[in-house]
């Protein structure tokens, strides 16, 4: 940021707490000294919050317990004062009913932690699925200089010499077990081998996608999102992140200067090129709205027509994982490959532009990071469909489903909730064929509640035994980024609030045409009107507590699932806290 005016120590936000000659500042100083810090350790220095999402229930962030010390080391080296603040952990593995119920709670946690404490800048430590968008949402709304530290992916899984991928191979081998093709003891060995180190899922799931989005938006150090958690360079990157945030405070380099509309368009382009998780759509829309940028499904649709999938990583690719992506050149290599499709002048946390950051990045394995001419899928990873079933849109990941289902008509088999689907799906007398369209409803933002990752509905057992491994499935839920198959997701508006999905009946013919971007039920308007007249609004999911607040304020999937009152457009910015 050459040429811009540097902040002076007396202009630091933390000086409001520490500098005045009054009784409150006396309290702040004396309590800092109670912790063993001498005044020269904080006075006139940027105080850097470290929002750490470590917990004993968070395997993907296990290393954060000690990695935070490397961040602190960097902050101290650069003349800052670190202040670690634990934040909600959002473990995708253990938190129920779904972490998406709590994304906005972590966003609020992050925003208010920063607002209430004497801090000048922040390092966000996240990675497991919802933690990246949640931390970014909160940090944008607070507006302090911010840098993101991605947890990084875990190492490749291994079972009997076979490479295992997070999520994707769990579904795959579960179907093999249901079909009687692997033994119980094999299954236990798969369980032990699929997650071999700390770090996030190592397929191109939501975690890897959103960490890549953070980097593309300009919020991480270059290359940071691709480094495996267990690689020593992740430790060095953590210390460098600590050093850099101190400078960012002096430069007053805030998220709003980085996350411009062009930065979001870059993120969408890269999302398509990496074969992103479908969840990227929801999170990027929410983050953009917080940054005051109008990003919507149309932007994804436009990119999906022009950007090929060039990262050969599962589940869109058939072979490689994030560890291979790192060795092949990582995200800088991929971005350099599609340089012509990016806005290279966008600012980043380095104080340099994206174009400057990726210049000269190399690719070391062109089977992992392909050329556009040798893409693994000629168009983008996601397609947005609309029609009388989803007037506000829904999404499919064509790059991860059997091509024959990209144009399909079949009879609906409707389940009103997950328990009834689970109870029926393995029955031998289930009236279902490979052409059936499995439908799950009441699984959206309010109906789930929290839009659980149920969208990759299991293939009925009788079809699994016949060798069927994919079929069209449709719901208002989400699916894990590690999932695959002809799954149509995020149907908006959701059925629970009376979206058309609430009106479908078993036996209705459903037509899907990905090329034309359409999804329809072949039912007359007259019949739909009579079904609507008979539809009854379901009972509210919650009578009290956080869930009560959630269901009253959550927005639909096509709008990013933020709370209405957290969106930037809702009202004037929140003032700094008074100190009396
Ligand atoms: Fe944490 Fe997948 S469970 S990233």
């Amino acid at each position: 940021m050459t040429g811009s005016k540097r902040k002076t120590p007396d202009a630091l936000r933390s000086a409001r707490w520490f500098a005045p000659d009054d009784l409150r500042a006396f309290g702040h100083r004396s309590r800092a000294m109670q912790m063993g810090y001498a005044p020269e350790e904080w006075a006139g220095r940027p105080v850097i919050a470290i929002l750490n999402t470590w917990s004993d229930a968070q395997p993907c962030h296990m290393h954060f317990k000690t990695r935070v010390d490397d961040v602190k080391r960097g902050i101290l080296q650069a003349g800052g004062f670190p202040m670690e603040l634990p934040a909600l952990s959002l473990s995708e593995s253990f938190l129920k009913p779904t972490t998406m119920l709590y994304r906005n709670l972590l966003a609020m946690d992050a925003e208010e932690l920063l607002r209430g404490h004497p801090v000048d800048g922040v390092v966000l430590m996240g990675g497991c699925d919802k933690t990246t968008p949640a931390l970014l949402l909160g940090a944008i709304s607070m507006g302090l200089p911010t840098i993101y530290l991605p947890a990084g992916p875990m190492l490749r899984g291994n079972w009997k010499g076979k490479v295992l991928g997070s999520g994707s191979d769990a579904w795959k081998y579960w179907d093999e077990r249901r079909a009687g093709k692997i033994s119980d003891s094999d299954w236990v060995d798969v369980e032990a081998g699929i997650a071999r180190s700390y770090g996030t899922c190592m397929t191109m799931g939501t975690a890897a996608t959103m960490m890549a989005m953070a980097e593309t938006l300009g919020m991480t150090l270059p290359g940071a999102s691709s480094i495996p958690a267990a690689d020593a360079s992740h430790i060095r990157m953590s210390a460098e992140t600590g050093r850099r945030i101190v400078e960012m405070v002096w430069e007053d380099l805030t998220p709003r200067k980085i996350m411009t509309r062009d930065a979001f368009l870059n993120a969408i382009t890269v999302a398509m090129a990496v074969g992103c998780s479908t969840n990227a759509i929801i999170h990027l829309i929410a983050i953009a709205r917080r940054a005051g940028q109008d990003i919507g499904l149309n932007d994804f649709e436009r990119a999906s027509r022009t950007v090929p999938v060039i990262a050969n990583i599962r589940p869109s690719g058939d072979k490689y994982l994030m560890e291979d992506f790192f060795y092949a050149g990582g995200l800088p290599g991929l971005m350099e490959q599609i340089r012509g499709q990016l806005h290279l002048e966008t600012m980043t946390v380095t104080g340099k532009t994206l174009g400057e950051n990726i210049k000269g990045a190399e690719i070391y394995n062109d089977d992992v990071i392909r050329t556009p001419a040798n893409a693994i899928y000629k168009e983008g990873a996601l397609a947005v469909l609309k029609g009388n079933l989803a007037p506000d849109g829904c999404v499919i990941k064509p790059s991860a489903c059997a091509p024959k289902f990209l144009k399909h008509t079949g009879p609906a088999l409707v389940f009103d909730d997950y328990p009834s689907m689970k109870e029926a799906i393995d029955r031998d007398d289930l009236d279902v064929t490979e052409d059936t369209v499995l439908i799950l409803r009441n699984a959206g933002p309010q109906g789930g509640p929290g839009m659980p990752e149920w969208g990759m509905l299991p293939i009925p057992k009788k079809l699994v035994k016949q060798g069927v491994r994919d079929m069209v499935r449709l719901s208002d839920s989400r699916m894990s980024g590690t999932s695959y198959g002809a799954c149509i997701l995020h149907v908006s508006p959701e059925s629970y609030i009376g979206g058309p999905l609430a009106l479908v009946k078993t036996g209705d013919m459903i037509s899907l045409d990905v090329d034309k971007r359409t999804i329809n039920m072949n039912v007359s308007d007259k019949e739909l009107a009579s079904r609507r007249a008979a539809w009854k609004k379901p009972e509210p999911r919650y009578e009290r507590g956080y869930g009560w607040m959630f269901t009253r304020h959550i927005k639909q999937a096509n709008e990013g699932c933020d709370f209405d009152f957290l969106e930037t457009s809702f009202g004037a910015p929140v003032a700094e806290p008074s100190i009396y």
Side-chain angles (χ1 to χ4, degrees), residues 60 92-93 128-129 200-201 207:
C60 306
E92 196 64 31
S93 314
C128 188
D129 289 27
T200 66
C201 292

Side-chain angles (χ1 to χ4, degrees), residues 479-537:
M479 78 174 180
S480 162
T482 63
S483 301
Y484 50 85
C487 304
I488 300 158
L489 312 155
H490 310 181
V491 170
S492 301
E494 65 175 310
S495 54
Y496 199 77
I497 62 169
L501 185 61
L503 310 179
V504 188
K505 289 188 172 170
T506 291
D508 289 345
M509 294 305 283
I510 309 294
S511 290
L512 146 77
D513 189 331
V514 172
D515 202 36
K516 294 206 170 96
R517 303 297 201 253
T518 56
I519 180 78
N520 286 294
M521 52 180 153
N522 305 336
V523 180
S524 71
D525 290 347
K526 191 166 164 227
E527 170 63 15
L528 286 176
S530 110
R531 290 185 193 178
R532 174 156 304 287
W535 181 76
K536 287 196 179 51
K537 193 172 165 28

